[in-house]
Amino acid sequence: MNFKKLIAIFFLISSFIFALQIGPPMFEQRIDGSGGYREFTLTNPGTKTLRYKLTVLPGKTNDMSKWTEVSPKIITIKPGSKGKFKIFAKAPSGIPDGEYHYNLSIKMMDLPKLPGETDKVDAAAKLNFDFHLGFIGYAGDLKPLTEVINTSITKNNDGLTVVKGTIINKTPKRGIYCGITIIGGDKTLLSTDLRVPKNGKQNFTYTLDKNIKPSDVDGIVIRNLEDNKELLKTKF
């Protein structure tokens, strides 16, 4: 394969990854009992209509794919639009408490070429890009429990305010996907998320906007993104 073809493929892959915007980035639902459900949104920020085939595949450990369904299985999204799909998982009774895994394949499908489209546009779909996302569910009445330690507010060499800390996950047998909000008064200064693994901890470092001073920061709010409920609030 010559250099020009390699460059062309690189840009096609980059365009595909840019076009694939999915939210929320996690499943994190209880799958025993009545089962777990989540709705996802795929966004097409590009200028071409995109079509994807969605397939549930086995997870790396404690596979839950055989209990998991995605609907619809094919989704077409026009430029600048969004498409929604749903995932539902229901495990059989009696499975052990803990985490279970599956993968979601999001595969670009070929579309009939419209008048004026070039062969290069068609090539992106014909390369059959197949993007896999790993998702996690859990079984058991495992209430989330977290702690934030070692928090600090400093300025870096560029004079920007930096907030640091560590989230410890004390929840038995499962990780927690945390929403993190840095607050100042009644304002949100930064909002992001991270997953803290089971029996683990996760350090964080966030650099704030140049107009935010250390004295503007009042605290951090941690939410459980499974249900968006507040877990704790730390004041500075």
Side-chain angles (χ1 to χ4, degrees), residues 30-36 88-95 97 138-141:
R30 183 173 177 178
I31 62 172
D32 58 340
S34 58
F88 176 73
K90 188 178 188 306
S93 60
I95 65 169
D97 291 355
Y138 71 94
D141 187 20

Side-chain angles (χ1 to χ4, degrees), residues 108-122:
M108 182 180 283
M109 299 179 66
D110 197 3
L111 283 169
K113 188 167 63 173
L114 300 176
E117 288 185 333
T118 66
D119 289 337
K120 185 173 290 188
V121 173
D122 267 1

Side-chain angles (χ1 to χ4, degrees), residues 2 4 6 23 53 61 95 111 167 194 234:
N2 63 37
K4 288 184 178 180
L6 285 172
K53 181 179 180 181
T61 57
I95 65 169
L111 283 169
I167 301 177
L194 58 78
T234 298

Side-chain angles (χ1 to χ4, degrees), residues 38-71:
R38 190 176 288 281
E39 184 175 80
F40 296 83
T41 300
L42 272 173
T43 302
N44 178 5
T47 59
K48 302 295 179 183
T49 297
L50 300 175
R51 180 174 293 160
Y52 299 104
K53 181 179 180 181
L54 309 177
T55 307
V56 176
L57 300 175
K60 58 182 180 178
T61 57
N62 291 344
D63 176 36
M64 59 177 277
S65 62
K66 53 188 173 293
W67 311 320
T68 307
E69 297 180 357
V70 59
S71 178

Side-chain angles (χ1 to χ4, degrees), residues 22-41 56-57 59 62-71 85-91 95 98-104 106 133-140 174-178 193-195 224-228:
I22 182 173
M26 80 295 181
F27 182 71
E28 304 290 335
Q29 294 290 300
R30 183 173 177 178
I31 62 172
D32 58 340
S34 58
Y37 160 90
R38 190 176 288 281
E39 184 175 80
F40 296 83
T41 300
V56 176
L57 300 175
N62 291 344
D63 176 36
M64 59 177 277
S65 62
K66 53 188 173 293
W67 311 320
T68 307
E69 297 180 357
V70 59
S71 178
F85 66 91
K86 303 173 181 65
I87 291 180
F88 176 73
K90 188 178 188 306
I95 65 169
E99 290 186 345
Y100 292 81
H101 300 251
Y102 69 94
N103 287 299
L104 180 67
I106 304 177
L133 293 171
F135 287 129
I136 301 173
Y138 71 94
R174 74 174 178 111
I176 299 294
Y177 215 116
C178 297
D193 57 74
L194 58 78
R195 191 176 196 276
N224 176 19
L225 291 186
E226 175 188 352
D227 53 17
N228 214 37

Side-chain angles (χ1 to χ4, degrees), residues 2 13 15 19 30-31 33-34 40 42 66-67 71 127 157 170 205 210 212-213 222-223:
N2 63 37
I13 293 173
S15 298
R30 183 173 177 178
I31 62 172
S34 58
F40 296 83
L42 272 173
K66 53 188 173 293
W67 311 320
S71 178
L127 282 174
N157 292 335
K170 297 184 176 182
T205 301
K210 62 181 180 180
I212 299 174
K213 304 185 297 293
I222 307 295
R223 292 173 291 111

